[in-house]
């Protein structure tokens, strides 16, 4: 069993089709299929139910998927632990930036490219990670700066931030759903939810909001944004998503309604007070906020 095979299996489980998984991994469908078959033979179990059109997991596949996620998280943590020991050998013109995987929906990818092109003397290292590892990376000096949702650092007195982009949480409903206009969480108390994956900052924000209004939501499952929107479109459930996601994923059979009271999700550049005022960090912040 190789780590690549584990990554391939996770991609299939999350994309639901071999085609989408192969596209995401940038490999051919046949190469992907061969590796999964090889993995199944080594384990002696069927991980995927091939009698269906989509790549559905067998009971063994569901168990393997959860274990694979845990293994991938541990692998990423191990790598980040090792990166801490590289800090002392950094080039003085090296800038390490950690970010949630949200650059595309806020149009930030081009700004990173512009920064590197206009500052060829600065070696920019960019990591896309989830909330827990992002905060740990900043506090351990693995990252000089991070790009995150403001809620993530609200309780950190030793971290400063600079506003970067606006966003808000919206209710996602199938077209034809009787609710209309701004919606309170209490009005959604009897709905079945499909939320973003548990390791995401948005999932944690939703759980905190439910707890604040004493709502105990029925969560059918979690998933990626595109699969959530498709599921809502066919009436499987409702969701809460950042509105910016609809710049990337559109579906004619869903509607979005604002929440009341509104739940803002500002995106910020953050850094420790000791590091954020360095000349290299300030230059990066200037370039990002200028655009």
């Amino acid at each position: 069993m190789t780590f690549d095979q584990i990554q391939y299996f996770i991609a299939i489980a999350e994309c639901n089709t071999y085609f989408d998984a192969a596209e995401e991994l940038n490999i051919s469908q046949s190469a992907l299929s061969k590796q999964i078959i090889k993995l199944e033979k080594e384990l002696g179990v069927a991980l995927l139910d091939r009698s269906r059109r989509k790549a559905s997991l067998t009971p063994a596949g569901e168990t393997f998927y959860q274990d694979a996620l845990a293994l991938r998280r541990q692998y990423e943590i191990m790598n980040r632990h090792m990166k801490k020991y590289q800090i002392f050998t950094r080039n003085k013109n090296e800038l390490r930036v950690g970010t949630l995987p949200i650059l595309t929906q806020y149009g930030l990818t081009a700004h990173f490219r512009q920064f590197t092109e206009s500052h060829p003397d600065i070696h920019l290292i960019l990591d896309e990670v989830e909330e827990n590892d992002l905060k740990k990376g900043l506090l351990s000096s693995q990252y000089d700066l991070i790009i995150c949702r403001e809620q993530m650092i609200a309780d950190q007195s030793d971290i400063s931030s600079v506003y970067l982009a606006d966003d808000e949480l919206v209710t996602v409903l199938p077209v034809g759903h009787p609710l209309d206009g701004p919606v309170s969480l209490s009005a959604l108390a009897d709905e079945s939810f499909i939320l973003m994956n548990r390791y995401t900052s948005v999932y944690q924000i939703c759980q905190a909001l439910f707890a604040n209004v004493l709502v105990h939501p029925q969560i059918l499952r979690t998933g990626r944004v595109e699969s959530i929107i498709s599921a809502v479109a066919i009436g499987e459930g409702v969701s809460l998503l950042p509105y910016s996601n609809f710049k990337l994923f559109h579906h004619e059979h869903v509607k979005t309604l604002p929440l009341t009271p509104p739940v803002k999700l500002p995106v910020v550049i953050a850094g420790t007070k000791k590091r954020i005022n360095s000349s290299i960090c300030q230059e990066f912040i200037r370039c990002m906020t200028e655009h």
Side-chain angles (χ1 to χ4, degrees):
M1 184 189 309
T2 67
F3 194 75
D4 281 344
Q5 288 173 334
I6 293 172
Q7 293 279 58
Y8 294 166
F9 176 78
I10 291 173
I12 292 173
E14 294 183 346
C15 292
N16 293 323
T17 69
Y18 277 87
F19 175 81
D20 290 337
E23 285 284 304
E24 181 173 290
L25 295 165
N26 198 28
I27 63 173
S28 68
Q29 288 188 63
S30 60
L32 177 59
S33 180
K34 287 177 183 177
Q35 288 300 317
I36 297 303
I37 291 172
K38 187 175 180 181
L39 176 61
E40 289 177 317
K41 286 182 178 179
E42 180 179 345
L43 294 171
V45 297
L47 299 174
L48 297 167
D49 181 354
R50 292 174 174 81
S51 66
R52 303 183 183 183
R53 292 182 61 187
K54 290 192 174 182
S56 300
L57 301 185
T58 64
E62 292 282 0
T63 299
F64 186 80
Y65 173 61
Q66 296 302 323
D67 290 341
L69 288 178
L71 184 60
R72 183 176 67 178
R73 286 193 293 270
Q74 192 57 46
Y75 177 80
E76 292 170 349
I77 290 169
M78 178 186 68
N79 278 335
R80 292 188 185 101
H81 285 169
M82 293 303 99
K83 284 182 181 178
K84 289 191 294 186
Y85 297 100
Q86 299 171 10
I87 293 170
F88 300 107
T89 61
R90 285 189 191 179
N91 185 294
K92 65 179 181 179
N93 285 335
E94 181 177 279
L95 179 65
R96 293 180 180 265
V97 179
T99 177
L100 292 173
I102 57 176
L103 299 183
T104 303
Q105 66 204 63
Y106 295 108
L108 298 176
T109 305
H111 302 332
F112 276 90
R113 184 176 67 251
Q114 291 166 2
F115 176 80
T116 56
E117 289 175 353
S118 60
H119 297 78
D121 57 318
I122 297 176
H123 179 42
L124 176 64
I125 299 173
L126 179 66
D127 282 344
E128 285 194 350
V129 295
E130 291 299 339
E131 178 179 305
N132 288 338
D133 293 330
L134 203 58
K135 186 184 291 187
K136 289 177 184 175
L138 180 62
L139 295 176
S140 68
S141 299
Q142 178 185 339
Y143 301 125
D144 301 302
L145 297 169
I146 61 173
I147 295 175
C148 62
R149 301 194 188 280
E150 188 177 50
Q151 287 90 336
M152 175 182 149
I153 57 165
D155 60 344
Q156 297 289 325
S157 60
D158 55 342
I159 295 178
S160 297
S161 64
V162 177
Y163 163 84
L164 192 57
D166 277 325
D167 205 351
E168 65 177 305
L169 202 64
V170 294
T171 309
V172 187
L173 304 166
V175 169
H177 193 287
L179 284 177
D180 199 10
V183 179
S184 69
L185 285 178
S186 298
L188 298 169
D190 296 328
E191 299 285 350
S192 297
F193 286 87
I194 308 167
L195 298 178
M196 292 182 68
N197 286 314
R198 285 178 169 79
Y199 55 78
T200 64
S201 58
V202 172
Y203 179 88
Q204 302 300 328
I205 290 169
C206 290
Q207 290 290 54
L209 290 170
F210 288 132
N212 286 341
V213 295
L214 303 179
V215 169
H216 302 286
Q218 178 187 357
I219 300 176
L220 295 178
R221 60 184 175 87
T222 60
R224 295 168 52 166
V225 171
E226 57 269 40
S227 64
I228 292 173
I229 294 174
S230 296
V232 171
I234 62 174
E236 186 179 343
V238 305
S239 190
L240 298 171
L241 293 174
Y243 185 69
S244 64
N245 285 302
F246 294 89
K247 294 179 182 178
L248 303 177
F249 306 105
H250 304 279
H251 203 297
E252 60 182 346
H253 298 300
V254 303
K255 64 180 181 179
T256 62
L257 299 178
L259 286 168
T260 182
V263 179
K264 300 298 183 182
L265 299 174
V267 175
V268 299
I269 303 176
T272 60
K273 291 180 178 178
K274 181 178 180 180
R275 181 64 177 154
I276 198 171
N277 290 319
S278 68
S279 59
I280 192 170
C281 287
Q282 286 295 304
E283 179 61 15
F284 176 79
I285 291 169
R286 182 190 68 79
C287 290
M288 295 298 288
T289 54
E290 251 185 13
H291 296 296

